[in-house]
Amino acid sequence: MPEKTVYLERINAKAPVDNVLYRMGYKKGKTVLPEQQQKKINDAINLGDILCDLKGAYLFLKITSKSGNSVRLENGVIIESIQVTELFKTSSDVLLMASTAGAGIVERRDLEMKAGNNSLGVILDAVGSETADTGLDWMQEFLAAQLAKKGRIITRRFSPGYGDLKIECQKVIYDTLNLSKIGISISDRFLLTPEKSVIAVAGVS
Amino acid sequence: MAKKVNAKKRFLDLIKKGVVVLDGSTGVAMQRRGMPNGVCPEKWALDNPKHLIDLQKEYVKAGTQILYTFTLGATRPKLDEFGLGKDVLKLNEGLAKISRKALGKNGLVAGDIGPTGHFPKPFGDMPFETCVNHFKEQAKGLLKGGVDLFVIETMIDIQEARAALLACKELSDKPVIVSMTFDKDMRTLTGTDPVTALITLQSLGADVVGVNCSTGPAEMVKVIEMMKPYAKVPLMAKPNAGLPRLVDGKTIFDMDAKTFSSYTKPFVKAGVNLLGGCCGTSPECISGITAQLKTAKTPKDTKISYSAVTSARKTVFMSQDIPVVVVGERINPTGKKQLQEELKAGKTEEVRKFAFEQAQQGARILDVNVGMPGITEKDVMVKTVEMLSSLSELPLCIDSPSPDVIEAALRIYPGRALINSISGEPEKMKKLLPIAAKYGAMFVLLPLGGKGVPETAKKRQVIIDKVFTAAKKFGFTNKDIIIDGLVMTVSANQEAAAETLKLISRSSKDGFNTIVGLSNVSFGLPERGYVNSAFLAMAMDRGLTMAIANPSLDLLMNIKAAADVLTMKDKKSEMYVKLFSGHAQSSGLKTPGTAGPETIYDAVVNGNSESIRALIEQAVKAGEKPSDIVDKKLIPAISYVGDLYEKKTYFLPQLIASADAMKAAFSIIEPLLKAEPGVKIEKKIVLIATVKGDIHDIGKNIVALMLKNYGFDVIDLGKDVHEFTIIEKVRETGARIVALSALMTTTMIEMKTVISLAKKQGLNCRFMIGGAVVTESYAREIGADGYSKDAYDAVKLAKKLSEN
């Protein structure tokens, strides 16, 4: 496993259209989408795909110790969360990941909404969110396949801000991965910019 | 030099004799022989050579003719993981010598090179040359250890495979095998399919192309079957012993040696030339292959000839039997002010837009020309090619007059590109033919000799013969070359078109592909589209296979589609039918269950912001009272949309599209309402804000839009709003409802700050809150008057709060 952070300048993945629709409340078999509206929505999703510039980063770190509510990593970082500690029960390493859909999609969304094209805006917003998640899916799937050959498995992933993993944890992962290299910045409230950026941790058993 | 030739000759002789047997898995077998988990495998093997020698001898005994060195992870980035980066040369040299010793006098040792674990540009951040240098460093060690050839294997990224191949070829003349790993969707991790990988790598000079790891033999036979019709080089396969299964944390390969080797004959039938095993295989599996090969019938190799360019994810073929390939011409700054400005500023949005649009409009290849004053063409070309090769799946045509620019682009392009162009000018030929040959590119042959434009087809043919003769010395065939018909303007010389057509006929008969840049023909004439389209159809009749054109021109593209049918390039007219079959059905959207012309009500329900303004203007002109339009049409329509949304018949973009239509309607009708006698507009004020520290405002904006459409006077304070600002605005406006939004757990606490402050100051207003992390119970906890889960819910809540 690489000891240095691996940066992916262009991830060859698009958000699945079904996921984008689902995020906006589409219900298969229930939602009725007339042809003309469907075309508009498809065009907007395609535009979103063009505007996204999907990048990622990942790093494996060894777990040096665990307590009931925290996991300590080889670089001294401590992840405090009962849920994460439980999830990493059998893990010897941790996978830190981040992905961003880039600034272009957010800028265009804001422009469209400012111009009153709110429908296009919400679709671009959904494409951006799903694309960032797709970046994590892509990395996790690829790394899981690589690790499977060595008899190792990756747990499900967990993002700061969910469950009892505090959003503050976003900062230590941000610093460890040096995410400024893929154009992500973090605020003193731990908000990531570009907005469509996500960070996650997973265990490796 | 003689020694180098011998290595290649020995390799080729071995392949000519029949299917060559490779070795099987080494890593897992070494673990079984005591290699502990977590150590550097290469270092351990070098420190414990007996285990490796014994295993490799077993493979030789089983019939292995080409033995891989145990150096898959011996590049500097991989060895750095164990703090051994400084030992690259020593480890590779030492391990190559061990394999040489194990092999004895017969057979060949292949220096094994694997992925670095990092990704070169355009997919990763590693500069391409850094990647090439890592592989060169490893290859130097292997050469010092005496390997006979190189094998680059388990590659998941075509660009990294290219880097390794270039490294080996730039260091020595020894043969190179390149083997990719495909997943269950028959793609590498970065999206390359087997045929595209084959064409890219064999063009770049791989002596053998193949596949290893990731799947069992049954799936891998299919990969060889896919590659074979396009393989100009031998093919190799090294499958796993079935698909891996995790049992108690250990990877198990279920397939036994007998079952594994039973796939030998299917592999041979599919056209494999070198066969071995990957993960989970053993010397017994290799013995099985050797035994099976004794009775396997090798199919006869057939001569293969075709023209194709590739991107990282797609192959595009050209021939007289398939529809004409349109090369999109729009990524060219000439006459495009915005593109010029963006290229100067280092921006890429316009290029991305052109790439996407041209692909949508039917281009199969993208011409990339960034030549303009005020930029460094080479840098901008490299950046643009990197961006396009990850963004678009269309192969690229590198268009520049500068050999340096072309070479820089070809080096980093993760596919087989097309060069536009190589002319008969001696200096251009001298520089560009070796470059095209090194990178395996196809090229457009421009029949210019440096002494003006030859006017007749006959004179142009002389130049073509000269360039082709020189190109053949570099290994090019007529299938690698596309003849430019050299289109001149008919308004200056009416015979020009006929000469171009003559040249297209002649070149087509000689087996070349042909191309024309269409727009020149009509220069100076009115209604140029007709002339261009007519000329395209005529050229297609003479055998034209490609056209550089703007695919957004409907007339041209439609004539091309029709001519593809009439020249029998579009088999069974399938593409033509697909292109035009939907046209007769197009009609405006109607509200479900309604018929006749669109009404104001329909326009809201269908979210049609474009038509609603005109419909309202018509209604007002026809004498309808604005208040009636609002009460009888707009409000019932948006209420119906709300119902549809609640029932999930509509989802968010439809709800918002209707809201946008309402907004457009109110922009016209509101001033009229104010002027209507007897109408008194009394709107309830809602103050809305995203709280301090939070920059997310899309949810807040949608709620504001919906509230406006339902008759509220919404004052939007924006995002990241301080509590004092909110309180001050409440006092100033007398708002009775305040809507607060937050997306993060770190910022939602600010809602409490605002509400506490308002209560402390005795303000008589009600608070509603919402946002991704906010809940009903949180609303209660902080003393808010209500929580809404989405924008429509917010409308209902605001109505309720304003009534009480």
Side-chain angles (χ1 to χ4, degrees):
Chain A
M1 292 187 286
E3 62 160 16
K4 288 182 189 160
T5 304
V6 176
Y7 297 99
L8 296 148
E9 287 290 319
R10 304 202 190 272
I11 296 178
N12 174 32
K14 279 182 189 176
V17 172
D18 282 355
N19 291 14
V20 176
L21 296 176
Y22 181 76
R23 181 176 277 267
M24 294 186 292
Y26 184 88
K27 293 269 181 276
K28 251 185 190 159
K30 238 177 179 185
T31 305
V32 177
L33 202 49
E35 195 183 325
Q36 195 178 328
Q37 283 188 341
Q38 188 166 7
K39 189 184 174 313
K40 274 187 180 175
I41 288 169
N42 286 343
D43 287 349
I45 292 174
N46 283 337
L47 175 65
D49 286 337
I50 301 173
L51 293 167
C52 285
D53 186 7
L54 187 56
K55 296 173 193 276
Y58 64 83
L59 173 68
F60 290 96
L61 288 173
K62 287 198 187 323
I63 294 174
T64 50
S65 64
K66 291 176 202 167
S67 70
N69 61 357
S70 70
V71 174
R72 189 184 181 92
L73 307 182
E74 62 177 301
N75 63 345
V77 162
I78 297 170
I79 299 174
E80 282 182 20
S81 156
I82 295 169
Q83 285 169 294
V84 170
T85 308
E86 175 64 21
L87 183 68
F88 293 178
K89 201 165 50 182
T90 60
S91 302
S92 57
D93 299 83
V94 162
L95 168 62
L96 306 181
M97 292 178 281
S99 121
T100 178
I105 184 107
V106 180
E107 284 167 9
R108 182 66 179 268
R109 177 202 68 187
D110 292 346
L111 272 177
E112 293 297 343
M113 295 198 77
K114 210 171 175 184
N117 303 319
N118 294 290
S119 180
L120 176 56
V122 296
I123 297 169
L124 296 180
D125 186 77
V127 173
S129 299
E130 281 302 326
T131 301
D133 277 349
T134 302
L136 292 183
D137 290 343
W138 187 91
M139 283 186 278
Q140 202 172 344
E141 199 176 311
F142 142 63
L143 294 168
Q146 300 276 308
L147 289 169
K149 288 183 207 164
K150 297 175 183 169
R152 311 198 70 187
I153 49 170
I154 298 183
T155 65
R156 69 183 169 83
R157 64 175 185 256
F158 217 95
S159 284
Y162 286 89
D164 68 346
L165 182 60
K166 289 189 176 151
I167 190 80
E168 285 82 346
C169 185
Q170 200 132 273
K171 173 70 174 154
V172 288
I173 301 174
Y174 176 90
D175 289 340
T176 304
L177 291 174
N178 187 16
L179 292 178
S180 60
K181 267 200 87 170
I182 52 169
I184 303 177
S185 61
I186 191 164
S187 74
D188 53 2
R189 299 259 187 165
F190 315 109
L191 303 184
L192 301 176
T193 304
E195 187 185 314
K196 301 303 175 187
S197 304
V198 276
I199 279 176
V201 293
V204 182
S205 306
Chain B
M1 188 68 194
K3 199 175 171 189
K4 285 178 184 171
V5 173
N6 281 342
K8 194 142 194 163
K9 191 173 177 307
R10 279 174 67 201
F11 176 70
L12 294 174
D13 286 348
L14 191 62
I15 288 176
K16 271 184 202 158
K17 284 180 192 162
V19 175
V20 174
V21 181
L22 305 171
D23 59 13
S25 165
T26 308
V28 175
M30 290 293 278
Q31 280 177 342
R32 287 193 195 122
R33 285 160 199 254
M35 183 173 79
N37 275 333
V39 299
C40 170
E42 288 80 7
K43 175 81 165 63
W44 191 86
L46 193 63
D47 292 344
N48 301 274
K50 188 178 177 309
H51 296 295
L52 183 59
I53 290 177
D54 287 350
L55 174 65
Q56 293 195 321
K57 276 186 175 171
E58 280 183 42
Y59 277 125
V60 175
K61 202 174 160 195
T64 293
Q65 295 164 285
I66 296 180
L67 192 62
Y68 286 19
T69 57
F70 189 52
T71 52
L72 181 75
T75 52
R76 184 175 285 266
K78 291 297 264 184
L79 291 173
D80 271 341
E81 292 171 22
F82 303 97
L84 295 169
K86 61 186 187 314
D87 296 334
V88 177
L89 286 171
K90 192 173 87 182
L91 282 166
N92 281 287
E93 181 186 348
L95 289 165
K97 283 179 176 165
I98 289 176
S99 296
R100 168 63 65 202
K101 195 173 171 188
L103 185 66
K105 285 180 182 171
N106 296 318
L108 300 169
V109 174
D112 193 1
I113 293 173
T116 59
H118 292 256
F119 293 85
K121 287 177 180 242
F123 305 111
D125 67 324
M126 186 190 281
F128 186 71
E129 290 313 320
T130 305
C131 194
V132 172
N133 289 335
H134 282 316
F135 289 123
K136 274 188 181 167
E137 187 182 27
Q138 182 181 15
K140 276 180 194 165
L142 292 167
L143 282 171
K144 216 170 167 202
V147 298
D148 301 299
L149 66 146
F150 295 104
V151 58
I152 296 157
E153 65 164 343
T154 326
M155 284 288 165
I156 50 177
D157 171 16
I158 190 76
Q159 187 71 325
E160 191 173 23
R162 287 184 73 252
L165 177 56
L166 280 170
C168 293
K169 291 188 74 68
E170 286 173 356
L171 270 187
S172 85
D173 286 343
K174 293 199 186 290
V176 188
I177 300 172
V178 189
S179 173
M180 305 295 295
T181 293
F182 300 95
D183 62 21
K184 58 184 185 306
D185 302 324
M186 296 282 187
R187 297 261 170 187
T188 65
L189 183 75
T190 49
T192 310
D193 63 87
V195 171
T196 299
L198 168 75
I199 293 172
T200 302
L201 295 168
Q202 72 184 7
S203 305
L204 195 62
D207 298 277
V208 174
V209 176
V211 51
N212 76 292
C213 208
S214 79
T215 65
E219 297 79 10
M220 207 171 272
V221 166
K222 289 177 199 156
V223 175
I224 298 295
E225 284 171 346
M226 286 169 80
M227 285 182 166
K228 194 64 184 176
Y230 307 99
K232 295 177 182 178
V233 295
L235 297 178
M236 64 80 66
K238 261 191 159 212
N240 290 342
L243 295 170
R245 262 190 327 119
L246 276 175
V247 179
D248 297 331
K250 284 188 177 166
T251 309
I252 306 289
F253 291 90
D254 287 334
M255 197 174 276
D256 60 31
K258 193 179 168 194
T259 313
F260 179 82
S261 55
S262 72
Y263 286 95
T264 302
K265 286 177 183 171
F267 266 116
V268 174
K269 194 179 167 200
V272 87
N273 304 90
L274 300 92
L275 186 60
C278 203
C279 303
T281 59
S282 61
E284 291 73 37
C285 294
I286 302 304
S287 292
I289 291 175
T290 306
Q292 290 281 326
L293 282 175
K294 285 178 185 156
T295 54
K297 266 193 174 175
T298 315
K300 271 190 180 173
D301 264 351
T302 46
K303 277 274 174 207
I304 290 157
S305 157
Y306 59 87
S307 304
V309 288
T310 62
S311 66
R313 304 196 288 278
K314 194 182 183 76
T315 298
V316 171
F317 292 95
M318 292 80 95
S319 104
Q320 291 187 41
D321 299 327
I322 56 177
V324 161
V325 171
V326 171
V327 181
E329 67 179 12
R330 295 178 71 198
I331 303 174
N332 184 330
T334 308
K336 297 186 185 81
K337 207 177 163 194
Q338 195 177 343
L339 179 58
Q340 288 172 9
E341 281 169 11
E342 285 204 357
L343 290 176
K344 271 185 193 167
K347 289 185 177 171
T348 58
E349 194 166 326
E350 197 72 354
V351 173
R352 292 157 76 102
K353 192 185 91 182
F354 282 146
F356 180 76
E357 284 177 358
Q358 291 187 103
Q360 294 279 91
Q361 290 154 350
R364 304 284 314 283
I365 295 172
L366 296 175
D367 188 83
V368 185
N369 182 323
V370 294
M372 58 177 270
I375 60 161
T376 307
E377 188 187 356
K378 190 156 110 178
D379 296 347
V380 176
M381 177 64 95
V382 166
K383 190 181 165 196
T384 307
V385 167
E386 274 179 353
M387 188 269 289
L388 285 173
S389 38
S390 57
L391 173 83
S392 171
E393 63 172 27
L394 299 191
L396 301 184
C397 174
I398 310 297
D399 185 354
S400 171
S402 160
D404 280 353
V405 172
I406 289 174
E407 180 167 26
L410 292 180
R411 188 159 179 89
I412 53 93
Y413 178 64
R416 185 189 196 202
L418 175 63
I419 295 172
N420 188 11
S421 56
I422 301 179
S423 68
E425 293 160 87
E427 198 57 27
K428 283 275 171 72
M429 281 168 58
K430 194 179 156 194
K431 282 186 176 168
L432 281 170
L433 284 174
I435 293 170
K438 178 177 179 182
Y439 295 101
M442 288 186 71
F443 68 88
V444 173
L445 194 166
L446 190 66
L448 289 176
K451 292 176 188 164
V453 179
E455 286 200 359
T456 64
K458 217 171 177 178
K459 285 180 183 168
R460 293 173 194 176
Q461 188 60 46
V462 173
I463 298 170
I464 290 170
D465 291 342
K466 184 176 124 189
V467 179
F468 186 39
T469 303
K472 278 196 278 193
K473 290 178 190 157
F474 289 92
F476 287 100
T477 71
N478 55 357
K479 293 295 171 202
D480 302 315
I481 298 169
I482 295 157
I483 307 295
D484 189 325
L486 211 55
V487 177
M488 304 307 290
T489 174
V490 289
S491 63
N493 171 15
Q494 211 160 350
E495 287 171 19
E499 291 302 319
T500 299
L501 293 173
K502 270 187 222 167
L503 190 67
I504 291 169
S505 293
R506 165 71 194 269
S507 298
S508 302
K509 276 179 196 145
D510 289 345
F512 290 98
N513 285 284
T514 51
I515 193 165
V516 288
L518 279 171
S519 51
N520 251 1
V521 74
S522 59
F523 192 76
L525 293 174
E527 298 297 338
R528 294 176 64 187
Y530 295 120
V531 181
N532 294 346
S533 304
F535 184 61
L536 173 65
M538 292 168 77
M540 285 172 70
D541 183 50
R542 307 294 175 100
L544 186 79
T545 52
M546 302 173 79
I548 300 184
N550 179 351
S552 70
L553 303 172
D554 284 345
L555 175 65
L556 189 83
M557 294 302 281
N558 292 345
I559 292 292
K560 179 199 111 58
D564 278 331
V565 171
L566 299 173
T567 52
M568 294 186 292
K569 290 168 185 283
D570 181 2
K571 308 289 179 236
K572 296 180 184 169
S573 311
E574 272 177 13
M575 292 177 74
Y576 186 85
V577 171
K578 195 175 161 196
L579 185 64
F580 291 108
S581 59
H583 276 209
Q585 298 168 10
S586 68
S587 62
L589 171 72
K590 294 299 301 162
T591 308
T594 66
E598 189 180 38
T599 63
I600 292 170
Y601 183 92
D602 293 341
V604 172
V605 174
N606 296 334
N608 202 341
S609 303
E610 294 91 25
S611 62
I612 200 160
R613 293 167 198 269
L615 288 168
I616 289 196
E617 278 164 3
Q618 276 170 26
V620 172
K621 229 178 189 176
E624 277 194 63
K625 281 184 5 191
S627 55
D628 281 351
I629 295 173
V630 172
D631 295 339
K632 294 177 183 170
K633 292 177 178 171
L634 293 175
I635 296 295
I638 198 70
S639 298
Y640 177 54
V641 169
D643 287 347
L644 292 174
Y645 180 71
E646 283 218 302
K647 288 176 191 157
K648 316 275 186 213
T649 309
Y650 266 20
F651 72 137
L652 188 63
Q654 291 167 296
L655 177 75
I656 303 302
S658 293
D660 281 344
M662 283 287 282
K663 193 179 165 197
F666 272 113
S667 70
I668 296 173
I669 218 156
E670 204 157 359
L672 302 175
L673 273 178
K674 284 176 185 165
E676 192 178 317
V679 176
K680 197 180 168 194
I681 306 169
E682 250 186 61
K683 285 184 170 182
K684 302 256 167 59
I685 299 171
V686 178
L687 259 181
I688 191 165
T690 301
V691 293
K692 188 171 74 185
D694 203 322
I695 52 163
H696 300 94
D697 65 350
I698 184 167
K700 182 262 301 170
N701 291 344
I702 292 169
V703 170
L705 174 72
M706 292 296 292
L707 289 171
K708 279 179 194 169
N709 284 332
Y710 278 85
F712 289 94
D713 183 4
V714 179
I715 299 170
D716 188 347
L717 301 181
K719 57 190 174 185
D720 190 12
V721 185
H722 198 283
E723 63 268 24
F724 292 152
T725 309
I726 297 171
I727 298 301
E728 194 184 312
K729 277 282 168 188
V730 173
R731 287 188 191 287
E732 187 185 313
T733 60
R736 299 292 304 276
I737 301 172
V738 179
L740 299 176
S741 167
L743 193 83
M744 313 292 289
T745 49
T746 47
T747 56
M748 65 192 257
I749 48 174
E750 294 297 334
M751 293 172 155
K752 190 179 176 185
T753 309
V754 178
I755 294 170
S756 302
L757 187 62
K759 285 189 176 161
K760 204 173 159 189
Q761 298 201 5
L763 292 182
N764 184 22
C765 62
R766 315 194 77 180
F767 284 92
M768 52 188 277
I769 64 169
V773 290
V774 177
T775 61
E776 182 88 58
S777 63
Y778 183 68
R780 278 197 300 272
E781 185 189 318
I782 64 170
D785 299 282
Y787 153 82
S788 59
K789 67 180 191 301
D790 59 32
Y792 188 61
D793 203 34
V795 171
K796 290 196 291 183
L797 177 60
K799 276 184 177 173
K800 196 174 129 195
L801 293 178
S802 65
E803 282 160 10
N804 295 335

